[in-house]
């Protein structure tokens, strides 16, 4: 999978590709669950991040506005780098999207918010967890988060929900 192909996708195409990849992996939830997840992400974005048992900011600072399409393209790049076996699926989804085959018909991913789609991709590394106070927060299972690609991606996700970008 060529990274420049992902960079060439429009925001809507990138979101459709991510939804197709998640649908292929049978990780695309129903619309109600996706919207609930998006609300939980929004709440968690304002809370400290837990990294391997340590609570703190732990996420690389993001300067400027984060556009949801940029977040999704970065998520696709992360996915391909972290799981090379998924590259053919991303490539096929990219081809389908460019040919106008679009996103899964169960729902339009643009109506849900990209945060839910991104967290579904990252679910092995990032979990949403409810605190004893009833608030949602991100729990991350990675070392050196601030220096990693995952840390930068999570920083962009949080910035998208905290005013660094639009939904």
């Amino acid at each position: 999978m060529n990274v420049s192909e992902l960079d060439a996708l429009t925001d809507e195409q990138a979101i459709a590709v991510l939804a197709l990849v998640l649908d292929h992996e049978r990780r695309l939830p129903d619309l109600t669950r996706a919207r609930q997840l998006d609300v939980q992400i929004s709440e968690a974005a304002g809370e400290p991040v837990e990294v391997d048992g340590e609570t703190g900011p732990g996420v690389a600072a993001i300067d400027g506005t984060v556009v949801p399409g940029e977040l999704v393209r970065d998520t696709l790049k992360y996915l391909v780098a972290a799981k090379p076996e998924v590259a053919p699926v991303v490539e096929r989804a990219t081809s389908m999207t460019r040919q106008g085959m679009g996103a899964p018909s169960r729902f339009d991913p643009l109506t849900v918010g990209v945060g839910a789609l991104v967290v579904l991709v990252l679910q092995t590394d990032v979990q949403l967890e409810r605190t004893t106070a009833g608030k949602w927060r991100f729990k991350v299972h990675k070392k050196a988060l601030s220096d990693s690609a995952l840390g930068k991606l999570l920083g962009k996700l949080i910035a998208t929900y905290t005013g660094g970008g639009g939904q």
Side-chain angles (χ1 to χ4, degrees), residues 96-129:
M96 288 173 61
T97 300
R98 285 201 173 130
Q99 294 173 12
M101 295 176 177
S105 60
R106 287 193 280 156
F107 67 89
D108 178 0
L110 296 173
T111 65
V112 176
V114 300
L117 300 176
V118 171
V119 167
L120 288 168
V121 167
L122 301 177
Q123 70 185 3
T124 58
D125 300 323
V126 177
Q127 296 174 349
L128 278 173
E129 192 173 86

Side-chain angles (χ1 to χ4, degrees), residues 20-51:
L20 283 167
V21 170
L22 286 167
D23 196 40
H24 178 269
E25 294 184 346
R26 306 212 187 286
R27 289 198 279 170
L28 196 59
D30 63 43
L31 180 59
T32 301
R33 175 65 187 121
R35 286 186 175 148
Q36 289 171 344
L37 180 58
D38 207 50
V39 169
Q40 293 166 357
I41 294 164
S42 181
E43 185 178 329
E47 297 295 317
V49 175
E50 181 181 315
V51 182

Side-chain angles (χ1 to χ4, degrees), residues 28-162:
L28 196 59
D30 63 43
L31 180 59
T32 301
R33 175 65 187 121
R35 286 186 175 148
Q36 289 171 344
L37 180 58
D38 207 50
V39 169
Q40 293 166 357
I41 294 164
S42 181
E43 185 178 329
E47 297 295 317
V49 175
E50 181 181 315
V51 182
D52 292 331
E54 298 291 322
T55 302
V59 176
I62 301 298
D63 297 326
T65 299
V66 177
V67 177
E70 175 187 345
L71 171 63
V72 172
R73 282 186 289 277
D74 287 349
T75 301
L76 288 166
K77 291 174 198 174
Y78 174 82
L79 180 61
V80 169
K83 294 181 173 182
E85 68 275 11
V86 178
V89 176
V90 173
E91 194 169 332
R92 176 79 174 125
T94 300
S95 175
M96 288 173 61
T97 300
R98 285 201 173 130
Q99 294 173 12
M101 295 176 177
S105 60
R106 287 193 280 156
F107 67 89
D108 178 0
L110 296 173
T111 65
V112 176
V114 300
L117 300 176
V118 171
V119 167
L120 288 168
V121 167
L122 301 177
Q123 70 185 3
T124 58
D125 300 323
V126 177
Q127 296 174 349
L128 278 173
E129 192 173 86
R130 192 175 281 262
T131 66
T132 55
K135 296 196 176 234
W136 290 99
R137 73 170 179 202
F138 292 105
K139 184 174 183 179
V140 181
H141 301 288
K142 285 282 185 186
K143 291 189 247 177
L145 180 63
S146 62
D147 296 331
S148 72
L150 177 59
K152 292 174 185 168
L153 189 56
L154 187 55
K156 285 184 177 184
L157 174 64
I158 291 170
T160 300
Y161 282 82
T162 57

